[in-house]
Amino acid sequence: MAIQKKNSSIVVNQFGGLYQALSSQSIVDVFVVQGIISPSDGEKIKLKYKNNLAVERFLLANRLISREAINKAYSIILKLPFIALKNLEISEEITRLIPEKVGKKFQVIPFSKKNMVVNLAIGNPGELFISQNRGLEEMFLSKNFSIELFVSTPSDVLGAWTQGKSKNKLLLEKTKLPVIFLRNRNVNLKYLELLPFEFMLKNRMAIFDQAGEKMYRIALEDSLNPNTGKIVEYLKVNNNLDFEEFSTSKDDIDYLLSLYKKQPDKSDRNDKTNEKIEEPGVFSGFVESLITQQPAGLVSKETLEAKNNLTTDQSSGNKVGIKEDEETKLEIEANREIQEMDRDIGKLLGKDVKTFDELMKISGEKSIPKLVAAIISYALFMGASDIHVEPEAKRLRVRYRVDGILKDILQLSTDIGPSVVSRIKILGLMKLDETRIPQDGRFSVNFMKREVDVRVSVLPTVYGEKTVMRILDKSQGILSLEDLGFVGSAFRIMTEQIKLPYGIILATGPTGSGKSTTLYAVLNRLNQPGVNVVTLEDPVEYEVPGVNQCQIKPKIGFTFAEGLRSILRQDPNIIMVGEVRDADTANMATHAALTGHLVLTTLHTNDAASSLPRLINMGVEPFLITSSVNVVIAQRLVRRVCPKCREKINIPSPLTEAIKKEIDLIPKGDKDDLARIKPLQFYRGKGCGECTEGYKGRIGIYELLVMNDEVESLAVSKRPASEIKELAVKSGMLTMRQDGILKAIDGLTTIDEVLLATGELSVGEITLTETEEDKSQGQDQSKSKEE
C-alpha cells in the first residue's frame, strides 16, 4: 500500500482506509477463524471491548495471544505484509528519513528504499491507526517519496532503532534481507503464475506482490545461495523489471506452492477482464498486463502456526495510555471474564486424555490452553491428587502425586514455562504481573461429565514460578467410613461416638493423612433434615447438600475463631471446624462442645495420645479438654494393593516374628479385631495396566483414643503423651501399626506400606522375599546346580 506525496488527499484516503479497516473488522475474528479462540468466546470479547486496541490490551494482559500473533492479525485485516526485522541491518541513510524521536514515538522505522519508494515498518498498528492519531500523516506529507507500509512488532522496531548505535552488531539470522511471513495472507494467484510451478519448486522462490509499475516482491527461501542471486538478477535483466527481495521459510514457500496447485483450470476460470494471459516462460514469464487485484479475504487459507500464536513477546507487556489503577482493574476484570469463558476447558480437548501418548501429542501442538487442560485431564485419569509444574534450569518438569507418591510425568521446554503459569493464573484469578511473592487461587472446570475443583498455589523459585494444583474431583462424591478403611473396633467406636449429642471428635495426623476426608465422611453420615450443620473451612473442599459451609478469609479478619463466635449464634447442632490452628480456636471449640454442640475438627499431631498435651500447650485448660473431647482419631494413608494383579509373598523370618509379637498385643477381649486375625499371609501387586507399580488407590490405618477416667487423670496431671498412649493400649486401643498389619493380612495393603507409614523402617531397610512361585523356581535352580 503506497502512500505518496504528490497528492495529499491520497495520504488521507490511504490512512482513512486503514482507519476504516480497523473500525469495521476485529482481530478477534482472525483468531476465531484460526481456531485459537472459540466463536462464543470471541463474541463475548467483542461485546465487552468495542475496539481493536481494547481487545489487544485484553489479550496481552492475559497472555492469551502473543504480540507477534496479534500484529499478524492486524496485517491480515489491514492487508499489509508482516515482516521481521531482527536480522536486518538498516543503513543510517535510510533511518535518517524519519527523526528517531518520531520513529520511537509512533513505533515505526524505514528499513529499505527502492527508487522513491520507502518501506516503513509499523510496530503498533492498533495504536497508530486510530482517528485521533494524525501525526504520522503530517510527517508523510512533508516527504518527497512514496511510503510502503509493513507490519512488524514493537520489539523489532525498537531493536532496529538501537542496533545502529551498537558497536557489536549481532545478526540473529543468516540472511540480511527482511523476513516476510506469507502463511497468514491470501496471495493473489496472478503473482504466483508469473513463474512456472516447476521453476518455483526447483529454485524455492515465488513472486507474491507488486510494489510499483515495474517493481515486484519476491520471496526467497535461501537468499544466501549465490545461484539464487544470479537467478533473480537474470529475471530483472530479461524482463526489464526490478525486485524487492525478502527472505522467507521453507513452510512459507510450500504454502505458496500449495496455493499454486489448488488454482482452478485456466479454461474454467471466469476472467472478467477478457485480457489475454500468456503462458509464462522459464525465466521471462511475465505478462505485460496484469489482472486487477481482488480484495484479499479476512484470513488466510491456513491458520498461523501454533508456535507463532503462543510465543510470548516479553516486550509487549508495556501497556499504552492506561493509568496504573485502570490497568489493575482491567486485568482483574479480564481474568474473571476469561475464567468464566474457560470453565468448560474439557471442550478444548474433545475427549478425556487417558494415555501418555495422547498427552505427548497435545504437548506437541504448542497450544497452552489445550496443554493445561490435557495435564489436568490426564491427572484425573491417573487418579492424581496434586499436579506439580516445576521450572528447572533446562526443563519444565510436570509431576503427579498418585497414591501419595510424586511421579515424573512430562518434561517440557523451559520457554513455555511462563505461558503455562500465566494460563493457570488466569484460571485461578491471580495477578499475572506479580511474580515476586506466592499467590493462591482456585477454579472449577468441567471435563466431559466430571466437575473438578482445583486449588492453586504459585511459589517463586530461582528458575521461575512453581505451580501446584490440588485436584478435587466432585464426581467421586464423599466416601463412607467403610470405604475409608474403618473396620473392626474402629468402625464400632466411630458409629458410637458420632451418636453423642455434644463433645469433640478430633482427627489428627500430618498433612495429607486424610483428616478432612474422615470428617467429611462423618459429616455426611450425620447430615439429616432434623439437624443444623455449619462448617468453617479453609478452603471448602467438597460441597455437601444441606450443610451450611463457610469459607474463612483471614485477610479480612474472618478467622476460625471469629467464625466460631458467629456460628454459635446460628443455632447449630453440629459444627465442623477445618483446623485448630491457635489458642483462640481451641478454646472456642472446647466451649462450643461444652455448651451442647457436636464439634468435628482436626489437629496436627503424630498420634492420638499427643493431641491432649498439644491442646494444653495451646492454652486450653486440662479439665476442659477431658470434659469436651469424646474421641481422638489418629490416621495415616497407605496404598492399596491392586486387586487385579495381587499375589502372595513370603517375608523374612525376623519380620514375621516381630509381626507375631505385635499381634499378640492386640486386646484379647476385643472380638471385632480378633475376628480379623488370620494365618499370617501377605501380598503384593505385580503391576498391571490398571495400577501403578502394583498399587491402586489408598486406604486409611487408624487408632482411636476414647476418653475414660484413667486417660482423663493423666491428661489433667499433664503427663507426657507416651504415658497416655501406654495406658490407652492397656485399656484396649488398637494402634495404627496393628490396624495396618491386620489390613496387610487381609490383602488390602502391603507390609511395606504399613511399616513405612508408622515409621518403623526406612525405605532401604524394607526387603520382601520372593513370591511362592519365584521361591519354587529358585529351589529348582539350586537343585540343578547341585546335580
Side-chain angles (χ1 to χ4, degrees):
M1 181 178 289
I3 301 176
Q4 303 177 2
K5 168 68 174 74
K6 295 178 182 179
N7 188 342
S8 62
S9 64
I10 294 178
V11 178
V12 176
N13 290 338
Q14 295 285 12
F15 267 79
L18 297 176
Y19 300 144
Q20 181 63 30
L22 286 187
S23 62
S24 61
Q25 300 180 74
S26 173
I27 56 175
V28 172
D29 294 328
V30 178
F31 300 127
V32 169
V33 175
Q34 293 172 341
I36 299 171
I37 295 176
S38 69
S40 61
D41 292 350
E43 289 302 316
K44 291 178 183 178
I45 293 173
K46 288 195 290 184
L47 284 174
K48 182 68 177 179
Y49 303 102
K50 302 302 182 182
N51 58 65
N52 278 306
L53 190 58
V55 170
E56 170 191 327
R57 290 169 179 165
F58 167 76
L59 297 174
L60 289 174
N62 292 279
R63 301 187 188 180
L64 297 177
I65 308 292
S66 70
R67 164 57 76 179
E68 181 176 301
I70 286 174
N71 279 22
K72 285 181 180 178
Y74 276 126
S75 79
I76 291 172
I77 64 176
L78 294 173
K79 301 181 179 67
L80 299 176
F82 184 91
I83 62 165
L85 302 175
K86 300 175 189 175
N87 60 332
L88 188 63
E89 285 190 274
I90 303 173
S91 69
E92 293 184 8
E93 178 187 358
I94 293 175
T95 57
R96 281 199 295 267
L97 294 173
I98 295 179
E100 182 177 348
K101 184 178 180 180
V102 174
K104 288 184 176 180
K105 175 183 176 182
F106 292 107
Q107 292 193 33
V108 298
I109 188 170
F111 62 89
S112 67
K113 179 174 175 289
K114 278 276 188 178
N115 300 327
M116 294 302 293
V117 178
V118 174
N119 291 334
L120 187 74
I122 306 166
N124 197 340
E127 182 76 20
L128 184 63
F129 297 121
I130 55 178
S131 57
Q132 297 89 349
N133 197 346
R134 300 284 178 169
L136 195 59
E137 293 178 47
E138 297 172 0
M139 179 190 68
F140 288 155
L141 291 173
S142 65
K143 301 295 179 182
N144 292 318
F145 47 75
S146 298
I147 299 292
E148 194 73 25
L149 299 178
F150 292 75
V151 177
S152 188
T153 63
S155 60
D156 270 19
V157 170
L158 295 177
W161 275 113
T162 57
Q163 74 161 341
K165 298 181 178 180
S166 174
K167 295 181 179 179
N168 300 318
K169 295 180 180 178
L170 178 62
L171 299 183
L172 301 180
E173 304 285 348
K174 297 186 299 181
T175 178
K176 294 184 179 180
L177 296 176
V179 179
I180 190 89
F181 295 84
L182 299 169
R183 277 166 292 165
N184 64 335
R185 300 188 58 76
N186 278 358
V187 178
N188 198 312
L189 289 175
K190 70 180 182 180
Y191 298 120
L192 296 180
E193 292 173 347
L194 295 176
L195 294 174
F197 178 81
E198 292 76 11
F199 173 82
M200 294 166 59
L201 180 64
K202 178 181 179 181
N203 296 287
R204 307 298 295 178
M205 62 178 62
I207 297 170
F208 63 90
D209 200 3
Q210 186 173 5
E213 185 179 355
K214 290 189 176 184
M215 172 77 73
Y216 292 87
R217 293 188 176 125
I218 188 167
L220 312 171
E221 181 181 320
D222 188 2
S223 59
L224 292 182
N225 189 328
N227 291 331
T228 299
K230 291 178 182 179
I231 293 171
V232 173
E233 188 62 30
Y234 188 92
L235 289 172
K236 290 180 182 179
V237 173
N238 278 18
N239 294 277
N240 191 28
L241 297 171
D242 202 356
F243 285 107
E244 202 173 356
E245 299 174 40
F246 295 85
S247 178
T248 195
S249 69
K250 175 182 180 298
D251 289 338
D252 285 280
I253 292 293
D254 288 341
Y255 168 65
L256 296 180
L257 291 173
S258 71
L259 293 182
Y260 199 111
K261 282 184 176 181
K262 292 176 184 177
Q263 64 178 306
D265 186 79
K266 292 180 182 178
S267 62
D268 299 330
R269 200 179 306 162
N270 182 17
D271 185 356
K272 296 182 180 180
T273 63
N274 293 320
E275 295 185 26
K276 181 180 179 182
I277 300 180
E278 301 178 3
E279 286 294 333
V282 172
F283 282 106
S284 54
F286 290 96
V287 294
E288 295 181 358
S289 60
L290 296 171
I291 302 174
T292 304
Q293 182 177 357
Q294 299 297 317
L298 175 63
V299 293
S300 63
K301 294 181 180 178
E302 295 183 1
T303 60
L304 296 176
E305 283 189 314
K307 65 180 179 180
N308 291 335
N309 295 328
L310 295 169
T311 304
T312 302
D313 183 355
Q314 298 298 333
S315 67
S316 66
N318 299 326
K319 303 183 176 62
V320 184
I322 307 178
K323 294 180 181 180
E324 194 65 37
D325 57 341
E326 292 174 344
E327 289 180 13
T328 303
K329 291 178 182 178
L330 174 64
E331 182 171 315
I332 292 172
E333 185 178 351
N335 281 3
R336 291 188 184 279
E337 197 166 318
I338 281 295
Q339 190 195 50
E340 182 61 30
M341 282 191 248
D342 285 343
R343 177 177 171 80
D344 201 359
I345 65 176
K347 288 184 178 178
L348 293 170
L349 304 174
K351 63 177 183 178
D352 290 330
V353 178
K354 296 183 178 180
T355 67
F356 178 72
D357 290 340
E358 291 175 353
L359 180 61
M360 286 297 296
K361 181 180 178 181
I362 293 172
S363 70
E365 294 179 14
K366 305 297 184 185
S367 169
I368 298 301
K370 285 185 68 175
L371 174 60
V372 173
I375 289 172
I376 298 174
S377 180
Y378 189 51
L380 285 170
F381 174 75
M382 293 286 290
S385 61
D386 300 87
I387 302 171
H388 292 239
V389 182
E390 303 166 314
E392 297 181 349
K394 297 182 179 180
R395 64 174 180 171
L396 181 70
R397 180 169 67 161
V398 178
R399 294 194 290 171
Y400 293 168
R401 187 176 294 279
V402 181
D403 296 335
I405 306 297
L406 275 174
K407 300 180 181 298
D408 282 337
I409 299 296
L410 193 63
Q411 294 187 21
L412 301 168
S413 168
T414 56
D415 297 339
I416 68 171
S419 298
V420 171
V421 174
S422 295
R423 172 64 176 172
I424 296 170
K425 282 183 174 181
I426 289 170
L427 293 172
L429 293 178
M430 291 178 277
K431 295 181 179 179
L432 290 173
D433 58 349
E434 181 56 79
T435 59
R436 301 164 300 169
I437 61 175
Q439 293 190 68
D440 294 318
R442 182 173 185 169
F443 60 92
S444 297
V445 293
N446 295 324
F447 280 91
M448 310 310 162
K449 297 180 180 180
R450 306 171 76 171
E451 188 174 359
V452 182
D453 275 351
V454 183
R455 287 159 46 188
V456 185
S457 173
V458 178
L459 179 71
T461 71
V462 292
Y463 293 115
E465 292 178 288
K466 172 182 174 175
T467 305
V468 175
M469 291 180 279
R470 168 67 59 87
I471 297 175
L472 303 170
D473 189 354
K474 292 184 177 181
S475 65
Q476 292 184 347
I478 297 175
L479 299 176
S480 66
L481 292 173
E482 296 92 329
D483 293 333
L484 294 179
F486 282 91
V487 294
S489 62
F491 181 74
R492 173 179 53 79
I493 293 170
M494 281 298 297
T495 54
E496 290 174 354
Q497 292 296 321
I498 63 178
K499 291 177 182 177
L500 298 176
Y502 56 88
I504 295 177
I505 296 176
L506 187 61
T508 70
T511 301
S513 59
K515 303 184 297 296
S516 296
T517 305
T518 297
L519 293 190
Y520 272 111
V522 174
L523 201 64
N524 199 43
R525 198 177 184 97
L526 293 172
N527 185 24
Q528 301 295 330
V531 296
N532 177 23
V533 183
V534 187
T535 72
L536 287 172
E537 305 174 61
D538 184 23
V540 176
E541 296 187 5
Y542 296 98
E543 295 180 7
V544 185
V547 174
N548 304 286
Q549 296 175 269
C550 305
Q551 166 74 58
I552 71 160
K553 298 176 181 178
K555 289 183 180 179
I556 60 173
F558 185 22
T559 61
F560 281 122
E562 288 300 319
L564 264 173
R565 290 187 179 93
S566 298
I567 283 177
L568 291 176
R569 295 190 288 270
Q570 290 284 318
D571 186 30
N573 299 104
I574 301 167
I575 301 170
M576 187 177 90
V577 182
E579 183 183 346
V580 175
R581 295 179 179 174
D582 51 45
D584 285 345
T585 308
N587 280 297
M588 285 297 301
T590 302
H591 285 292
L594 291 174
T595 53
H597 305 90
L598 183 61
V599 179
L600 315 178
T601 189
T602 69
L603 189 67
H604 287 279
T605 59
N606 290 327
D607 57 20
S610 299
S611 62
L612 303 181
R614 175 66 59 83
L615 289 172
I616 293 172
N617 291 337
M618 293 177 75
V620 182
E621 292 294 337
F623 70 91
L624 293 178
I625 296 173
T626 57
S627 302
S628 60
V629 175
N630 293 344
V631 62
V632 181
I633 311 158
Q635 63 183 79
R636 298 289 189 279
L637 293 177
V638 294
R639 290 182 290 175
R640 285 180 181 266
V641 173
C642 174
K644 296 289 185 181
C645 60
R646 188 178 73 173
E647 63 179 358
K648 296 179 179 180
I649 58 170
N650 297 304
I651 63 174
S653 297
L655 183 55
T656 302
E657 294 303 317
I659 290 172
K660 287 180 179 179
K661 291 179 180 178
E662 195 68 48
I663 291 176
D664 290 339
L665 296 176
I666 294 177
K668 302 303 180 185
D670 196 329
K671 295 181 180 179
D672 293 322
D673 291 322
L674 289 175
R676 299 168 59 194
I677 301 174
K678 304 172 183 177
L680 291 188
Q681 180 60 66
F682 298 97
Y683 303 84
R684 75 173 181 187
K686 291 189 296 184
C688 65
E690 296 190 16
C691 67
T692 303
E693 298 174 359
Y695 295 100
K696 187 175 183 180
R698 289 191 288 178
I699 191 172
I701 57 175
Y702 306 93
E703 64 182 29
L704 276 68
L705 172 62
V706 181
M707 298 299 293
N708 56 35
D709 293 340
E710 292 80 5
V711 172
E712 289 181 6
S713 177
L714 290 179
V716 170
S717 302
K718 298 185 179 181
R719 304 304 299 168
S722 57
E723 290 187 22
I724 296 175
K725 182 173 184 177
E726 183 180 355
L727 177 61
V729 170
K730 289 180 181 178
S731 300
M733 183 181 77
L734 190 74
T735 66
M736 276 189 291
R737 185 166 66 250
Q738 291 167 347
D739 186 39
I741 289 172
L742 294 179
K743 286 185 169 78
I745 294 173
D746 284 337
L748 298 175
T749 187
T750 64
I751 196 64
D752 305 55
E753 286 290 298
V754 174
L755 296 178
L756 284 171
T758 55
E760 297 302 308
L761 293 173
S762 65
V763 177
E765 293 175 294
I766 296 178
T767 305
L768 294 181
T769 61
E770 303 160 317
T771 64
E772 293 288 353
E773 182 180 356
D774 294 336
K775 184 177 180 181
S776 62
Q777 289 177 354
Q779 291 172 347
D780 293 340
Q781 291 174 0
S782 298
K783 288 181 181 179
S784 63
K785 286 181 180 180
E786 291 175 0
E787 293 175 357

